[in-house]
Amino acid sequence: MKVVDGNTACSMMAYKLSDISFIYPITPSSPMASNIDNMNNKDIKNIFNDNVNVYEMQSEAGAIGMVHGLLQNGVLATTYTASQGLLLMIPNMYKIAGELLPCVINVAARTVATHALSIMGDHSDIYSTRPTGFAIFSSSSVQQVMDLTGVSYLSSIKGRIPFVNFFDGFRTSHEYNKINVIDNEIFKELLDYKALENFRKNSLDIDNPTTRGTNQGDMVYFEAVEARNKYYEKLPDIVNDYMEKINKKINTNYKPFNYYGDKNAKKVIVAMGSVCETVKEVIKEEKGLGLIEVHLYRPFSSKYFLNVLPKSVRKIAVLDRTKEAASNGEPLYLDVVEIIKKHNLKIEVVGGRYGLSSKNTTKNDIDAVYKYLDNKILKTFTIGINDDVNNISLTPTTRNFKNTSKEILIYGYGSDGMVTTSKNILTLIGEKTPSYVQGYFEYDSKKSGGVTKSHLRFSKEVINSPYYVTNPYMVVCSKDTYLKKYDVLNNIKENNVAL
């Protein structure tokens, strides 16, 4: 087992199944490209027994342009990005999808700047790519990033549909966790070599001339667009097939949609991303609750969604990590409503927003959602904030949840070394002892020179708690002025340690 963050887990898997990478750095995805470069420098080989080079371009538009060009030449090119960087790739994404070129864009999902810039995470950048034709694939934890990134590459090669493979920026991308690492040999066995050979043969070749990039009008354009439907119809089955094969190899139970909780649940939350881990912690402690965790968001498969939806369900809360102004509802909510209405199910569906720009979402926030579903009248809501303007936010419950982890909170000053020290502590304890570890690092927008908080957990059990430390037994503060500015000792356990 190794202690790594989500970016490292993704890049380790991407390296195995890529030929080349083109990037332009953007927070919080930049470490993925750095990791690829480091593996190349260490002469690590991918499953084709080659090294993977990284080339930095002058913008994200240049990076995806080079990816597109290499895909036309039968090369498995990939990139890593987030936020506005992903938006700059959208024109080429339409082309790549339209040309049925297998490709994976790995995204540490981050807020798209609106009234202000934010380096923090939500799903606004991911949702902006919905019309491009890319499949959209989500992981909820560092272990899932390790397990599922390869599924996006394998499925893209076999299904000819390009993928956005994403996980939550900072919350998962920079979270340290102790995980199992997948061996190269698994992907060598699972790769569809015939599909790969067809992709390679489809490259532009002066000895086998072909016409591409034509200008089409009303005679054939519509027909060509509709002809691609069959590829999208097959893709959920392809993804599910690879998930089942991965499950057999590493003893997991991944599906396009995973259900957790009571088999006879009446109240269910539907969500994707790291918040799913918080929901799982809540439903462990109460009967009658459930969660549908979305992995394959595009294509959104009615078949696989209904396969896991308990027949007992009467109310669903869909949690979206974005805000689409002027819409009748957020994207995931609208997809779920469409399925429920289409199949005439007697289930009430309500939408809620959470976690914009990495706003903390706790177990008490999730508990409030389940309690809200008991109301007779349900309206769109928010959690994690105190909204005194629209008055639609839910008040967190005061319920005490079990906590089996030992928690440490470390206050630092950006670039003073406290975050690196915290990572070293986690790595040493995680890899040199039987203990499981988790670390999340809270930054402000100034990065260097700003306040940092390192949230550390240690336990004998696997830790998936994607929210801030709530009850530390030890608090460390590296700057004495913080004692006057912040409530540093808030919630520290009695008779414990302040350093």
Side-chain angles (χ1 to χ4, degrees), residues 364-381:
N364 293 100
D365 291 318
I366 299 301
D367 193 41
V369 174
Y370 282 119
K371 296 292 188 292
Y372 181 64
L373 290 178
D374 291 327
N375 291 1
K376 290 185 178 180
I377 299 175
L378 300 176
K379 297 181 180 180
T380 300
F381 62 87

Side-chain angles (χ1 to χ4, degrees), residues 43-179:
D43 200 31
I44 294 173
K45 304 297 183 183
N46 62 15
I47 68 168
F48 313 116
N49 200 34
D50 287 324
N51 293 71
V52 180
N53 289 307
V54 177
Y55 296 93
E56 183 178 336
M57 307 303 289
Q58 290 185 313
S59 75
E60 288 88 357
I64 195 64
M66 286 298 292
V67 168
H68 186 194
L70 269 291
L71 293 172
Q72 287 279 15
N73 282 276
V75 177
L76 293 174
T78 194
T79 189
Y80 310 86
T81 192
S83 189
Q84 258 72 16
L86 181 60
L87 268 58
L88 286 168
M89 296 182 176
I90 285 177
N92 271 280
M93 291 174 69
Y94 275 99
K95 292 289 291 179
I96 292 168
E99 293 162 356
L100 297 173
L101 297 171
C103 167
V104 178
I105 298 176
N106 297 286
V107 180
R110 170 183 151 181
T111 303
V112 172
T114 53
H115 67 287
L117 175 95
S118 174
I119 66 166
M120 310 311 289
D122 61 37
H123 298 164
S124 52
D125 56 353
I126 299 302
Y127 286 130
S128 70
T129 67
R130 281 177 294 154
T132 62
F134 267 61
I136 301 177
F137 197 63
S138 170
S139 296
S140 305
S141 66
V142 180
Q143 183 66 67
Q144 287 189 15
V145 174
M146 171 64 68
D147 297 343
L148 295 177
T149 293
V151 172
S152 63
Y153 279 86
L154 294 168
S155 300
S156 184
I157 292 168
K158 183 170 183 175
R160 295 187 64 185
I161 300 297
F163 273 67
V164 168
N165 175 52
F166 87 92
F167 44 91
D168 286 337
F170 282 113
R171 182 62 263 180
T172 304
S173 68
H174 284 61
E175 176 190 316
Y176 267 49
N177 211 308
K178 187 173 182 177
I179 65 170

Side-chain angles (χ1 to χ4, degrees), residues 479-495:
K479 198 171 178 66
D480 56 4
T481 56
Y482 288 173
L483 298 172
K484 298 177 182 178
K485 289 184 177 181
Y486 309 109
D487 190 1
V488 172
L489 300 181
N490 182 38
N491 291 332
I492 189 173
K493 288 187 175 181
E494 290 187 18
N495 301 318

Side-chain angles (χ1 to χ4, degrees), residues 266-424:
K266 293 186 177 180
K267 298 184 290 185
V268 164
I269 286 175
V270 178
M272 63 179 173
S274 58
V275 75
C276 293
E277 300 300 318
T278 308
V279 180
K280 291 173 194 176
E281 288 193 339
V282 173
I283 62 181
K284 281 179 183 177
E285 299 191 28
E286 187 173 341
K287 293 182 179 180
L289 308 180
L291 162 71
I292 293 180
E293 178 182 26
V294 180
H295 290 301
L296 183 63
Y297 173 62
R298 282 289 183 270
F300 200 86
S301 169
S302 297
K303 179 178 78 171
Y304 286 103
F305 182 87
L306 295 173
N307 279 352
V308 301
L309 179 68
K311 294 181 179 179
S312 56
V313 174
R314 292 294 171 262
K315 292 185 179 181
I316 293 176
V318 183
L319 298 184
D320 271 284
R321 199 169 193 175
T322 192
K323 165 72 172 177
E324 291 202 352
S327 171
N328 285 331
E330 313 310 337
L332 183 57
Y333 164 77
L334 294 177
D335 287 322
V336 173
V337 168
E338 192 272 338
I339 289 178
I340 299 302
K341 297 297 182 184
K342 182 178 179 180
H343 292 84
N344 296 315
L345 301 178
K346 294 182 179 179
I347 300 174
E348 188 173 359
V349 185
V350 64
R353 291 185 292 276
Y354 77 98
L356 271 62
S357 189
S358 289
K359 182 68 75 173
N360 195 36
T361 305
T362 68
K363 288 187 282 189
N364 293 100
D365 291 318
I366 299 301
D367 193 41
V369 174
Y370 282 119
K371 296 292 188 292
Y372 181 64
L373 290 178
D374 291 327
N375 291 1
K376 290 185 178 180
I377 299 175
L378 300 176
K379 297 181 180 180
T380 300
F381 62 87
T382 57
I383 55 174
I385 61 173
N386 181 15
D387 183 353
D388 58 356
V389 176
N390 302 289
N391 297 308
I392 61 171
S393 56
L394 305 184
T395 303
T397 66
T398 56
R399 179 179 174 184
N400 290 320
F401 288 91
K402 295 177 184 177
N403 184 6
T404 58
S405 301
K406 296 189 77 172
E407 299 179 337
I408 299 177
L409 180 58
I410 301 178
Y411 284 80
Y413 179 73
S415 298
D416 71 353
M418 293 308 292
V419 170
T420 301
T421 298
S422 301
K423 291 178 179 179
N424 289 341

Side-chain angles (χ1 to χ4, degrees), residues 407-411 440 442 452-456 468-470 472-477 487-490 497 499:
E407 299 179 337
I408 299 177
L409 180 58
I410 301 178
Y411 284 80
Y440 177 64
E442 188 182 352
T452 65
K453 299 177 188 176
S454 299
H455 299 261
L456 278 57
Y468 300 155
V469 160
T470 55
Y473 83 94
M474 181 178 186
V475 173
V476 179
C477 183
D487 190 1
V488 172
L489 300 181
N490 182 38
V497 181
L499 175 61

